[in-house]
Amino acid sequence: MKANIIDGKKISGEIREEIKEKVSDLIKNKGIVPGLTVILVGDDPASQIYVRNKARACKEVGMKSNIIRYDSSISQEKLLNAINELNEDENVHGILVQLPIPEHIDAQLVIDAIDPRKDVDGFHPVNVGKLSIGDDTLEPCTAKGVITLIERAGVEIEGKNAVIIGRSNIVGKPTALMLLHKNATVTICHSRTKDLKGIAKDADILVAAIGSPEFIDGSYIKEGAIVIDVGTSRVNNKLYGDVMFDEAVQKASWITPVPGGVGPMTITMLLENTLKCAESHE
Ligand code: GUN
C-alpha cells in the first residue's frame, strides 16, 4: 500500500481562512478584537522564531498580538507579577509563556499563575483536569492538531487501536485523552515500554511523539495504519520526524510528512484557542 499524504500545510491554511472570518464577525458584531500576549524569557534562538511565527499568524487572521521579552535573569516574582497584570487586562484574551524558561524559575508555578480562561496552551491544571474528565476546555495545541488532521483526512477514530509513543504533558498525554474521548482504544508507550515494536504494529492509528529522528522504521507499522509524526528534530539544519517516511509511506494508508504535517497545525490550533477565549470573554 502507498499512503495518502495528510497535507498539514493545506489543512492549516483552510482552517486559518475559517478563523479569519470568525475574527472578522467577532469584531463586527461585538467589537472584540481577539488578542494574544506571548511572554518570551531569554534569547533561545528556536524560541525566538516560534514566538515570532505565533505573533505573525495572529496578525494574518486579524487578531492583535504582543510579544513581551524579558532577560533570562528576570526573577520569578517579577514574572508572576507580569502574568497577574495580563490576567487583569481586558484586551488580552490569551496568554502564552514560551517554554522552556530558565531553571531558576519554577515553570509549573508560572503555568499555574495564568488565568485558566486565558490559558491558550491548555497547560493549566484546571484545563488539564477538564480535559481528563471530558469537559469542554482549552486543549493543548499540538494534540488538538493531531486529532484535527486525523478527522480532516476523513478517518474514523471510534473503535480504532490508537498507540501513542511518548508521554509528555504537552503532546502524548493530551493526545491519548482526546483519542480516548473519541472512543479509540488507547495505549501510551514510553522509553520503558517492553516490546514497543509489537505494540506499535498493532496500531490502526500510530502517533509518534518521541523526539528521536527516524526512530520508527517500516517494521513498526501495520499495513494500512494511519501514521501521525509529531517529531521535529533538526540535524545539520535539516528537519527530521520520528518516522522513517520513505519506509512508512509504503505501509500506511495515511501519513503526515515532516515538515508540512503536524507542525503548521500547532499554531493554527493556538489561533483557534485564542479565538475561543475571545468569544467567551464577558
Ligand atoms: N515550547 C515548545 N512547545 C511549546 C508549546 O506548545 N507551548 C509553549 N508555551 N512553549 C512551547
Short mmCIF file of all heavy atoms in Angstrom, two decimals, residues 176-245:
data_model
loop_
_atom_site.label_atom_id
_atom_site.label_comp_id
_atom_site.label_asym_id
_atom_site.label_seq_id
_atom_site.Cartn_x
_atom_site.Cartn_y
_atom_site.Cartn_z
N ALA A 176 -3.60 11.24 23.94
CA ALA A 176 -4.21 9.98 24.38
C ALA A 176 -5.63 10.24 24.92
O ALA A 176 -6.58 9.52 24.56
CB ALA A 176 -3.35 9.34 25.46
N LEU A 177 -5.77 11.26 25.74
CA LEU A 177 -7.09 11.57 26.32
C LEU A 177 -8.10 11.94 25.23
O LEU A 177 -9.25 11.50 25.25
CB LEU A 177 -6.98 12.72 27.32
CG LEU A 177 -6.39 12.36 28.68
CD1 LEU A 177 -6.04 13.61 29.48
CD2 LEU A 177 -7.39 11.50 29.47
N MET A 178 -7.64 12.74 24.28
CA MET A 178 -8.56 13.18 23.23
C MET A 178 -9.00 12.01 22.35
O MET A 178 -10.16 11.91 21.95
CB MET A 178 -7.91 14.30 22.41
CG MET A 178 -7.78 15.58 23.24
SD MET A 178 -6.71 16.81 22.50
CE MET A 178 -7.82 17.49 21.31
N LEU A 179 -8.07 11.09 22.07
CA LEU A 179 -8.44 9.91 21.28
C LEU A 179 -9.38 9.00 22.07
O LEU A 179 -10.33 8.43 21.53
CB LEU A 179 -7.18 9.14 20.85
CG LEU A 179 -6.35 9.82 19.76
CD1 LEU A 179 -4.97 9.17 19.64
CD2 LEU A 179 -7.07 9.75 18.40
N LEU A 180 -9.13 8.91 23.38
CA LEU A 180 -10.00 8.10 24.25
C LEU A 180 -11.43 8.66 24.25
O LEU A 180 -12.40 7.91 24.13
CB LEU A 180 -9.42 8.11 25.67
CG LEU A 180 -10.14 7.29 26.72
CD1 LEU A 180 -10.13 5.81 26.39
CD2 LEU A 180 -9.48 7.52 28.09
N HIS A 181 -11.54 10.00 24.35
CA HIS A 181 -12.87 10.61 24.35
C HIS A 181 -13.61 10.40 23.02
O HIS A 181 -14.82 10.48 22.95
CB HIS A 181 -12.79 12.11 24.65
CG HIS A 181 -12.29 12.41 26.04
ND1 HIS A 181 -12.65 11.67 27.13
CD2 HIS A 181 -11.45 13.36 26.50
CE1 HIS A 181 -12.06 12.15 28.22
NE2 HIS A 181 -11.31 13.17 27.87
N LYS A 182 -12.80 10.13 21.97
CA LYS A 182 -13.42 9.84 20.67
C LYS A 182 -13.55 8.33 20.46
O LYS A 182 -13.67 7.85 19.34
CB LYS A 182 -12.62 10.50 19.55
CG LYS A 182 -12.73 12.02 19.64
CD LYS A 182 -12.16 12.74 18.46
CE LYS A 182 -12.38 14.24 18.60
NZ LYS A 182 -13.79 14.64 18.42
N ASN A 183 -13.48 7.60 21.57
CA ASN A 183 -13.76 6.15 21.59
C ASN A 183 -12.75 5.27 20.86
O ASN A 183 -13.10 4.21 20.35
CB ASN A 183 -15.18 5.87 21.07
CG ASN A 183 -16.22 6.54 21.94
OD1 ASN A 183 -16.09 6.53 23.17
ND2 ASN A 183 -17.22 7.13 21.32
N ALA A 184 -11.49 5.72 20.81
CA ALA A 184 -10.42 4.82 20.39
C ALA A 184 -10.02 3.98 21.59
O ALA A 184 -10.29 4.33 22.73
CB ALA A 184 -9.22 5.62 19.89
N THR A 185 -9.37 2.84 21.32
CA THR A 185 -8.75 2.06 22.40
C THR A 185 -7.29 2.49 22.43
O THR A 185 -6.58 2.34 21.44
CB THR A 185 -8.86 0.55 22.09
OG1 THR A 185 -10.25 0.24 21.95
CG2 THR A 185 -8.24 -0.29 23.19
N VAL A 186 -6.88 3.09 23.56
CA VAL A 186 -5.62 3.85 23.56
C VAL A 186 -4.53 3.17 24.38
O VAL A 186 -4.76 2.74 25.50
CB VAL A 186 -5.88 5.28 24.11
CG1 VAL A 186 -4.58 6.06 24.17
CG2 VAL A 186 -6.91 6.00 23.26
N THR A 187 -3.35 3.12 23.81
CA THR A 187 -2.15 2.65 24.54
C THR A 187 -1.10 3.74 24.48
O THR A 187 -0.86 4.30 23.40
CB THR A 187 -1.58 1.37 23.87
OG1 THR A 187 -2.62 0.39 23.76
CG2 THR A 187 -0.42 0.80 24.68
N ILE A 188 -0.51 4.07 25.64
CA ILE A 188 0.60 5.03 25.66
C ILE A 188 1.90 4.26 25.89
O ILE A 188 2.01 3.51 26.86
CB ILE A 188 0.44 6.08 26.77
CG1 ILE A 188 -0.91 6.80 26.66
CG2 ILE A 188 1.58 7.10 26.72
CD1 ILE A 188 -1.15 7.83 27.77
N CYS A 189 2.87 4.45 24.99
CA CYS A 189 4.18 3.81 25.15
C CYS A 189 5.22 4.86 25.51
O CYS A 189 5.03 6.05 25.23
CB CYS A 189 4.60 3.14 23.84
SG CYS A 189 3.49 1.83 23.33
N HIS A 190 6.31 4.44 26.10
CA HIS A 190 7.37 5.37 26.50
C HIS A 190 8.69 4.63 26.55
O HIS A 190 8.78 3.45 26.16
CB HIS A 190 7.01 6.02 27.84
CG HIS A 190 6.55 5.04 28.87
ND1 HIS A 190 7.41 4.26 29.57
CD2 HIS A 190 5.29 4.69 29.25
CE1 HIS A 190 6.73 3.47 30.38
NE2 HIS A 190 5.41 3.71 30.20
N SER A 191 9.71 5.30 27.07
CA SER A 191 11.07 4.75 26.99
C SER A 191 11.23 3.43 27.74
O SER A 191 12.16 2.66 27.46
CB SER A 191 12.07 5.77 27.53
OG SER A 191 11.70 6.17 28.83
N ARG A 192 10.37 3.14 28.70
CA ARG A 192 10.50 1.88 29.45
C ARG A 192 9.55 0.79 28.94
O ARG A 192 9.43 -0.27 29.54
CB ARG A 192 10.20 2.11 30.94
CG ARG A 192 10.97 3.23 31.57
CD ARG A 192 12.45 2.86 31.74
NE ARG A 192 13.23 4.06 31.99
CZ ARG A 192 13.45 4.58 33.19
NH1 ARG A 192 12.96 4.00 34.24
NH2 ARG A 192 14.17 5.68 33.34
N THR A 193 8.81 1.08 27.89
CA THR A 193 7.87 0.10 27.36
C THR A 193 8.61 -1.12 26.83
O THR A 193 9.60 -0.98 26.10
CB THR A 193 7.03 0.74 26.23
OG1 THR A 193 6.27 1.81 26.78
CG2 THR A 193 6.10 -0.25 25.56
N LYS A 194 8.09 -2.30 27.20
CA LYS A 194 8.68 -3.53 26.65
C LYS A 194 7.96 -3.85 25.35
O LYS A 194 6.75 -3.66 25.25
CB LYS A 194 8.49 -4.67 27.65
CG LYS A 194 9.37 -4.49 28.88
CD LYS A 194 9.25 -5.68 29.81
CE LYS A 194 10.12 -5.44 31.02
NZ LYS A 194 9.46 -5.81 32.26
N ASP A 195 8.66 -4.36 24.40
CA ASP A 195 8.11 -4.74 23.10
C ASP A 195 7.36 -3.59 22.42
O ASP A 195 6.20 -3.73 22.00
CB ASP A 195 7.18 -5.96 23.24
CG ASP A 195 6.81 -6.54 21.88
OD1 ASP A 195 7.56 -6.29 20.90
OD2 ASP A 195 5.76 -7.20 21.78
N LEU A 196 8.03 -2.45 22.34
CA LEU A 196 7.44 -1.29 21.67
C LEU A 196 6.99 -1.64 20.24
O LEU A 196 5.89 -1.29 19.81
CB LEU A 196 8.47 -0.15 21.63
CG LEU A 196 8.07 1.11 20.88
CD1 LEU A 196 6.86 1.77 21.54
CD2 LEU A 196 9.22 2.10 20.82
N LYS A 197 7.84 -2.37 19.55
CA LYS A 197 7.51 -2.69 18.15
C LYS A 197 6.24 -3.53 18.06
O LYS A 197 5.37 -3.28 17.23
CB LYS A 197 8.69 -3.42 17.49
CG LYS A 197 8.53 -3.54 15.99
CD LYS A 197 9.70 -4.25 15.33
CE LYS A 197 10.90 -3.35 15.23
NZ LYS A 197 11.97 -3.94 14.40
N GLY A 198 6.14 -4.52 18.96
CA GLY A 198 4.95 -5.39 18.95
C GLY A 198 3.68 -4.60 19.17
O GLY A 198 2.66 -4.83 18.51
N ILE A 199 3.73 -3.63 20.09
CA ILE A 199 2.54 -2.81 20.38
C ILE A 199 2.24 -1.87 19.22
O ILE A 199 1.10 -1.74 18.77
CB ILE A 199 2.74 -2.02 21.70
CG1 ILE A 199 2.91 -2.98 22.88
CG2 ILE A 199 1.56 -1.06 21.95
CD1 ILE A 199 3.37 -2.31 24.17
N ALA A 200 3.31 -1.24 18.71
CA ALA A 200 3.12 -0.30 17.59
C ALA A 200 2.53 -1.00 16.37
O ALA A 200 1.67 -0.45 15.67
CB ALA A 200 4.45 0.36 17.23
N LYS A 201 2.94 -2.23 16.15
CA LYS A 201 2.49 -2.99 14.97
C LYS A 201 1.01 -3.34 15.02
O LYS A 201 0.42 -3.78 14.04
CB LYS A 201 3.31 -4.27 14.83
CG LYS A 201 4.59 -4.06 14.06
CD LYS A 201 5.00 -5.29 13.31
CE LYS A 201 4.32 -5.33 11.96
NZ LYS A 201 5.12 -5.92 10.92
N ASP A 202 0.43 -3.17 16.21
CA ASP A 202 -0.99 -3.45 16.38
C ASP A 202 -1.85 -2.19 16.18
O ASP A 202 -3.08 -2.24 16.26
CB ASP A 202 -1.20 -3.97 17.82
CG ASP A 202 -2.15 -5.14 17.86
OD1 ASP A 202 -2.33 -5.76 16.81
OD2 ASP A 202 -2.70 -5.40 18.95
N ALA A 203 -1.18 -1.06 15.96
CA ALA A 203 -1.89 0.23 15.93
C ALA A 203 -2.57 0.48 14.60
O ALA A 203 -1.95 0.36 13.54
CB ALA A 203 -0.91 1.36 16.22
N ASP A 204 -3.87 0.84 14.68
CA ASP A 204 -4.55 1.37 13.49
C ASP A 204 -4.18 2.84 13.32
O ASP A 204 -4.11 3.36 12.21
CB ASP A 204 -6.07 1.27 13.66
CG ASP A 204 -6.53 -0.14 13.97
OD1 ASP A 204 -6.11 -1.06 13.23
OD2 ASP A 204 -7.28 -0.34 14.96
N ILE A 205 -4.00 3.51 14.48
CA ILE A 205 -3.54 4.91 14.47
C ILE A 205 -2.26 4.95 15.29
O ILE A 205 -2.26 4.59 16.47
CB ILE A 205 -4.60 5.85 15.12
CG1 ILE A 205 -5.92 5.81 14.34
CG2 ILE A 205 -4.06 7.28 15.21
CD1 ILE A 205 -7.07 6.56 15.01
N LEU A 206 -1.16 5.35 14.67
CA LEU A 206 0.12 5.42 15.38
C LEU A 206 0.57 6.88 15.44
O LEU A 206 0.74 7.53 14.41
CB LEU A 206 1.17 4.58 14.64
CG LEU A 206 2.54 4.49 15.30
CD1 LEU A 206 2.47 3.78 16.65
CD2 LEU A 206 3.54 3.77 14.40
N VAL A 207 0.72 7.39 16.67
CA VAL A 207 1.17 8.77 16.86
C VAL A 207 2.58 8.72 17.45
O VAL A 207 2.78 8.20 18.55
CB VAL A 207 0.23 9.56 17.80
CG1 VAL A 207 0.72 11.00 17.98
CG2 VAL A 207 -1.20 9.55 17.28
N ALA A 208 3.55 9.24 16.71
CA ALA A 208 4.94 9.20 17.18
C ALA A 208 5.32 10.58 17.72
O ALA A 208 5.36 11.56 16.98
CB ALA A 208 5.86 8.80 16.04
N ALA A 209 5.57 10.64 19.02
CA ALA A 209 5.95 11.91 19.66
C ALA A 209 7.13 11.63 20.60
O ALA A 209 7.02 11.76 21.82
CB ALA A 209 4.76 12.50 20.41
N ILE A 210 8.23 11.20 20.00
CA ILE A 210 9.38 10.76 20.77
C ILE A 210 10.47 11.82 20.79
O ILE A 210 11.13 12.04 21.80
CB ILE A 210 10.00 9.47 20.13
CG1 ILE A 210 8.91 8.50 19.67
CG2 ILE A 210 10.98 8.80 21.07
CD1 ILE A 210 9.42 7.45 18.69
N GLY A 211 10.68 12.47 19.64
CA GLY A 211 11.78 13.42 19.52
C GLY A 211 13.09 12.74 19.18
O GLY A 211 14.17 13.21 19.55
N SER A 212 13.00 11.63 18.47
CA SER A 212 14.19 10.88 18.08
C SER A 212 14.14 10.65 16.57
O SER A 212 13.28 9.92 16.08
CB SER A 212 14.17 9.56 18.84
OG SER A 212 15.36 8.89 18.69
N PRO A 213 15.04 11.29 15.81
CA PRO A 213 14.90 11.31 14.35
C PRO A 213 14.83 9.92 13.72
O PRO A 213 15.71 9.08 13.96
CB PRO A 213 16.15 12.08 13.87
CG PRO A 213 17.00 12.29 15.07
CD PRO A 213 16.18 12.07 16.28
N GLU A 214 13.76 9.70 12.95
CA GLU A 214 13.55 8.47 12.15
C GLU A 214 13.66 7.18 12.97
O GLU A 214 14.09 6.15 12.47
CB GLU A 214 14.50 8.47 10.96
CG GLU A 214 14.27 9.67 10.06
CD GLU A 214 14.93 9.57 8.70
OE1 GLU A 214 15.98 8.90 8.60
OE2 GLU A 214 14.38 10.16 7.75
N PHE A 215 13.23 7.24 14.22
CA PHE A 215 13.27 6.08 15.11
C PHE A 215 12.33 4.98 14.62
O PHE A 215 12.63 3.79 14.71
CB PHE A 215 12.86 6.56 16.51
CG PHE A 215 12.93 5.51 17.58
CD1 PHE A 215 14.07 5.37 18.36
CD2 PHE A 215 11.85 4.68 17.84
CE1 PHE A 215 14.14 4.42 19.36
CE2 PHE A 215 11.90 3.72 18.84
CZ PHE A 215 13.06 3.58 19.60
N ILE A 216 11.17 5.38 14.10
CA ILE A 216 10.14 4.42 13.70
C ILE A 216 10.33 4.05 12.23
O ILE A 216 9.98 4.82 11.33
CB ILE A 216 8.72 5.03 13.92
CG1 ILE A 216 8.53 5.47 15.38
CG2 ILE A 216 7.63 4.06 13.48
CD1 ILE A 216 8.58 4.35 16.39
N ASP A 217 10.87 2.86 11.99
CA ASP A 217 11.01 2.44 10.59
C ASP A 217 9.78 1.62 10.18
O ASP A 217 8.84 1.45 10.96
CB ASP A 217 12.33 1.68 10.37
CG ASP A 217 12.40 0.38 11.16
OD1 ASP A 217 11.34 -0.20 11.46
OD2 ASP A 217 13.53 -0.06 11.47
N GLY A 218 9.81 1.13 8.96
CA GLY A 218 8.65 0.43 8.42
C GLY A 218 8.23 -0.79 9.23
O GLY A 218 7.05 -1.15 9.25
N SER A 219 9.16 -1.39 9.97
CA SER A 219 8.85 -2.63 10.70
C SER A 219 7.94 -2.37 11.91
O SER A 219 7.45 -3.32 12.51
CB SER A 219 10.15 -3.33 11.14
OG SER A 219 10.80 -2.56 12.12
N TYR A 220 7.74 -1.10 12.28
CA TYR A 220 6.86 -0.76 13.41
C TYR A 220 5.41 -0.54 12.96
O TYR A 220 4.56 -0.26 13.78
CB TYR A 220 7.32 0.54 14.08
CG TYR A 220 8.53 0.44 14.96
CD1 TYR A 220 9.81 0.33 14.40
CD2 TYR A 220 8.42 0.49 16.34
CE1 TYR A 220 10.94 0.26 15.20
CE2 TYR A 220 9.55 0.42 17.15
CZ TYR A 220 10.79 0.31 16.58
OH TYR A 220 11.91 0.24 17.38
N ILE A 221 5.19 -0.59 11.65
CA ILE A 221 3.92 -0.09 11.14
C ILE A 221 3.06 -1.19 10.53
O ILE A 221 3.54 -1.97 9.70
CB ILE A 221 4.18 1.04 10.12
CG1 ILE A 221 4.79 2.24 10.89
CG2 ILE A 221 2.90 1.48 9.40
CD1 ILE A 221 5.46 3.23 10.02
N LYS A 222 1.81 -1.23 10.99
CA LYS A 222 0.85 -2.21 10.44
C LYS A 222 0.41 -1.76 9.05
O LYS A 222 0.24 -0.56 8.80
CB LYS A 222 -0.36 -2.28 11.39
CG LYS A 222 -1.45 -3.22 10.96
CD LYS A 222 -2.35 -3.55 12.12
CE LYS A 222 -3.73 -2.95 11.94
NZ LYS A 222 -4.66 -3.38 12.99
N GLU A 223 0.22 -2.71 8.18
CA GLU A 223 -0.29 -2.42 6.83
C GLU A 223 -1.62 -1.66 6.95
O GLU A 223 -2.52 -2.12 7.66
CB GLU A 223 -0.48 -3.75 6.11
CG GLU A 223 -0.59 -3.69 4.62
CD GLU A 223 0.70 -3.31 3.90
OE1 GLU A 223 1.80 -3.73 4.33
OE2 GLU A 223 0.59 -2.61 2.91
N GLY A 224 -1.71 -0.48 6.34
CA GLY A 224 -2.96 0.27 6.35
C GLY A 224 -3.13 1.21 7.54
O GLY A 224 -4.16 1.87 7.68
N ALA A 225 -2.12 1.32 8.40
CA ALA A 225 -2.24 2.20 9.58
C ALA A 225 -2.24 3.68 9.19
O ALA A 225 -1.79 4.05 8.10
CB ALA A 225 -1.08 1.92 10.54
N ILE A 226 -2.75 4.49 10.12
CA ILE A 226 -2.67 5.96 9.97
C ILE A 226 -1.50 6.40 10.84
O ILE A 226 -1.47 6.11 12.04
CB ILE A 226 -3.97 6.63 10.44
CG1 ILE A 226 -5.13 6.16 9.57
CG2 ILE A 226 -3.86 8.14 10.43
CD1 ILE A 226 -6.25 5.56 10.36
N VAL A 227 -0.53 7.08 10.24
CA VAL A 227 0.69 7.43 10.97
C VAL A 227 0.81 8.95 11.09
O VAL A 227 0.84 9.66 10.09
CB VAL A 227 1.94 6.85 10.25
CG1 VAL A 227 3.22 7.26 10.97
CG2 VAL A 227 1.85 5.33 10.16
N ILE A 228 0.84 9.42 12.34
CA ILE A 228 0.96 10.86 12.60
C ILE A 228 2.31 11.10 13.27
O ILE A 228 2.57 10.60 14.36
CB ILE A 228 -0.18 11.36 13.53
CG1 ILE A 228 -1.56 10.94 13.00
CG2 ILE A 228 -0.07 12.87 13.72
CD1 ILE A 228 -2.01 11.59 11.72
N ASP A 229 3.13 11.88 12.60
CA ASP A 229 4.51 12.10 13.06
C ASP A 229 4.63 13.49 13.70
O ASP A 229 4.58 14.51 13.01
CB ASP A 229 5.45 11.98 11.85
CG ASP A 229 6.91 11.97 12.25
OD1 ASP A 229 7.22 12.23 13.43
OD2 ASP A 229 7.76 11.69 11.36
N VAL A 230 4.78 13.50 15.02
CA VAL A 230 4.85 14.78 15.74
C VAL A 230 6.31 15.25 15.89
O VAL A 230 6.58 16.39 16.23
CB VAL A 230 4.19 14.65 17.14
CG1 VAL A 230 4.17 15.98 17.87
CG2 VAL A 230 2.76 14.11 17.02
N GLY A 231 7.25 14.36 15.60
CA GLY A 231 8.66 14.68 15.83
C GLY A 231 9.18 15.79 14.93
O GLY A 231 8.80 15.90 13.77
N THR A 232 10.01 16.64 15.50
CA THR A 232 10.75 17.63 14.69
C THR A 232 12.14 17.74 15.30
O THR A 232 12.32 18.42 16.31
CB THR A 232 10.11 19.04 14.70
OG1 THR A 232 9.76 19.37 16.04
CG2 THR A 232 8.91 19.15 13.80
N SER A 233 13.09 17.05 14.72
CA SER A 233 14.48 17.12 15.19
C SER A 233 15.30 17.76 14.08
O SER A 233 15.21 17.35 12.92
CB SER A 233 15.02 15.72 15.47
OG SER A 233 14.18 15.04 16.36
N ARG A 234 16.07 18.77 14.48
CA ARG A 234 16.92 19.42 13.48
C ARG A 234 18.32 18.81 13.53
O ARG A 234 18.97 18.82 14.57
CB ARG A 234 16.97 20.93 13.76
CG ARG A 234 17.47 21.77 12.61
CD ARG A 234 17.23 23.24 12.85
NE ARG A 234 15.86 23.65 12.60
CZ ARG A 234 15.34 23.87 11.40
NH1 ARG A 234 16.08 23.71 10.31
NH2 ARG A 234 14.09 24.24 11.25
N VAL A 235 18.74 18.21 12.42
CA VAL A 235 20.09 17.62 12.35
C VAL A 235 20.78 18.22 11.13
O VAL A 235 20.26 18.12 10.01
CB VAL A 235 20.02 16.07 12.20
CG1 VAL A 235 21.42 15.48 12.21
CG2 VAL A 235 19.16 15.45 13.30
N ASN A 236 21.94 18.84 11.36
CA ASN A 236 22.66 19.52 10.26
C ASN A 236 21.73 20.42 9.45
O ASN A 236 21.73 20.39 8.22
CB ASN A 236 23.33 18.50 9.34
CG ASN A 236 24.42 17.74 10.06
OD1 ASN A 236 25.05 18.28 10.98
ND2 ASN A 236 24.61 16.48 9.70
N ASN A 237 20.92 21.16 10.18
CA ASN A 237 19.99 22.13 9.57
C ASN A 237 18.91 21.51 8.70
O ASN A 237 18.29 22.20 7.89
CB ASN A 237 20.77 23.19 8.78
CG ASN A 237 20.27 24.58 9.13
OD1 ASN A 237 19.56 24.75 10.14
ND2 ASN A 237 20.57 25.54 8.28
N LYS A 238 18.66 20.21 8.85
CA LYS A 238 17.55 19.57 8.14
C LYS A 238 16.58 19.03 9.19
O LYS A 238 17.01 18.56 10.24
CB LYS A 238 18.10 18.43 7.26
CG LYS A 238 17.06 17.78 6.38
CD LYS A 238 17.74 16.79 5.42
CE LYS A 238 16.80 16.12 4.46
NZ LYS A 238 15.80 15.26 4.95
N LEU A 239 15.28 19.15 8.87
CA LEU A 239 14.26 18.73 9.83
C LEU A 239 13.89 17.26 9.63
O LEU A 239 13.61 16.84 8.51
CB LEU A 239 13.02 19.61 9.61
CG LEU A 239 12.20 20.00 10.83
CD1 LEU A 239 13.06 20.62 11.91
CD2 LEU A 239 11.09 20.95 10.43
N TYR A 240 13.92 16.48 10.70
CA TYR A 240 13.54 15.07 10.65
C TYR A 240 12.37 14.80 11.57
O TYR A 240 12.30 15.34 12.68
CB TYR A 240 14.70 14.17 11.08
CG TYR A 240 15.86 14.15 10.10
CD1 TYR A 240 16.87 15.11 10.19
CD2 TYR A 240 15.94 13.18 9.12
CE1 TYR A 240 17.93 15.10 9.29
CE2 TYR A 240 16.99 13.17 8.22
CZ TYR A 240 17.98 14.13 8.31
OH TYR A 240 19.03 14.12 7.42
N GLY A 241 11.48 13.92 11.14
CA GLY A 241 10.42 13.45 12.02
C GLY A 241 10.90 12.24 12.81
O GLY A 241 12.05 11.83 12.70
N ASP A 242 9.98 11.68 13.60
CA ASP A 242 10.28 10.46 14.35
C ASP A 242 10.14 9.22 13.46
O ASP A 242 10.52 8.12 13.86
CB ASP A 242 9.31 10.30 15.53
CG ASP A 242 9.57 11.30 16.63
OD1 ASP A 242 10.67 11.89 16.65
OD2 ASP A 242 8.67 11.51 17.47
N VAL A 243 9.53 9.40 12.30
CA VAL A 243 9.19 8.27 11.43
C VAL A 243 10.07 8.29 10.18
O VAL A 243 10.32 9.35 9.60
CB VAL A 243 7.69 8.36 11.02
CG1 VAL A 243 7.33 7.27 10.03
CG2 VAL A 243 6.79 8.32 12.24
N MET A 244 10.54 7.12 9.78
CA MET A 244 11.29 6.99 8.54
C MET A 244 10.26 7.01 7.40
O MET A 244 9.66 5.98 7.07
CB MET A 244 12.08 5.68 8.57
CG MET A 244 13.31 5.70 7.72
SD MET A 244 14.21 4.18 7.93
CE MET A 244 15.27 4.61 9.29
N PHE A 245 10.06 8.18 6.85
CA PHE A 245 8.93 8.42 5.95
C PHE A 245 8.93 7.46 4.75
O PHE A 245 7.90 6.87 4.41
CB PHE A 245 8.95 9.88 5.48
CG PHE A 245 7.77 10.25 4.62
CD1 PHE A 245 6.59 10.70 5.19
CD2 PHE A 245 7.84 10.14 3.24
CE1 PHE A 245 5.50 11.03 4.41
CE2 PHE A 245 6.74 10.46 2.44
CZ PHE A 245 5.58 10.91 3.03
#
